[in-house]
Amino acid sequence: MTGFLFQLSFWLAAPVWLLMIFAPRWRVTARVAASPLTVVPVLAVYLALAAPVLPELWAAVRSPDLDGFRELTALADGAGAVWAQVIAWDLLLGQWMYLEARRLTIHPLVMGPLLVLTILLSPFALLIFLVLRMARERSVRVGRARERSVRVGSVA
């Protein structure tokens, strides 16, 4: 059962990822990505995996150390719970990145590969996205300042 739940956690998140990567301009995608409820099914899997190892999980988070975390992840349900938590976190992170990219008009051909990287190695993807976001925000601010100066110049 644990192996099934381990796999299920990803497959529950996959439709949202597919929408953001392959249908980024579809209105439905924006509505889905704006909802934090997308992670609820994954969190249900997390709860199912975490419940049998709750004492070990509590010990690992109450007083974190490497050995306690090793002991938790040595248990199938413990490793599965950690995996489901990572899937839920990555999905929320990917949704935020998707929404920020739309707000800043970052092209979907840039964001698609970055979202795939988020699925695989979210810390790397987040760092890249934060740099991209900073550069794009700066570019948008400069563009707006130029527009204002042109309007002010044409009014005078």
Side-chain angles (χ1 to χ4, degrees), residues 36-50:
L37 298 178
T38 56
V39 299
V40 170
V42 180
L43 293 177
V45 171
Y46 168 81
L47 292 173
L49 289 164

Side-chain angles (χ1 to χ4, degrees), residues 5-151:
L5 291 173
F6 180 90
Q7 295 295 323
L8 183 63
S9 63
F10 175 77
W11 291 113
L12 290 170
V16 180
W17 286 111
L18 290 172
L19 285 173
M20 293 188 299
I21 294 166
F22 294 109
R25 292 187 171 148
W26 191 29
R27 277 190 347 236
V28 171
T29 303
R31 283 199 316 258
V32 168
S35 174
L37 298 178
T38 56
V39 299
V40 170
V42 180
L43 293 177
V45 171
Y46 168 81
L47 292 173
L49 289 164
V53 293
L54 197 54
E56 294 87 350
L57 177 60
W58 179 247
V61 298
R62 183 189 72 234
S63 181
D65 68 14
L66 188 55
D67 289 333
F69 191 73
R70 262 194 212 126
E71 290 171 15
L72 172 65
T73 57
L75 303 170
D77 286 335
V82 170
W83 178 251
Q85 181 177 335
V86 168
I87 295 296
W89 169 254
D90 286 354
L91 181 57
L92 281 177
L93 179 62
Q95 287 175 236
W96 174 77
M97 290 168 55
Y98 166 84
L99 294 169
E100 280 293 284
R102 286 183 50 99
R103 180 180 69 83
L104 295 168
T105 62
I106 298 172
H107 200 279
L109 291 177
V110 172
M111 284 308 299
L114 197 50
L115 289 171
V116 171
L117 184 59
T118 304
I119 296 167
L120 302 173
L121 296 167
S122 62
F124 292 109
L126 178 58
L127 287 172
I128 293 167
F129 180 74
L130 290 175
V131 170
L132 178 62
R133 178 178 177 250
M134 185 177 63
R136 185 66 182 140
E137 282 179 329
R138 183 175 294 133
S139 172
V140 167
R141 275 195 309 273
V142 168
R144 286 181 185 149
R146 283 188 188 138
E147 286 176 15
R148 278 193 295 269
S149 67
V150 168
R151 276 186 268 147

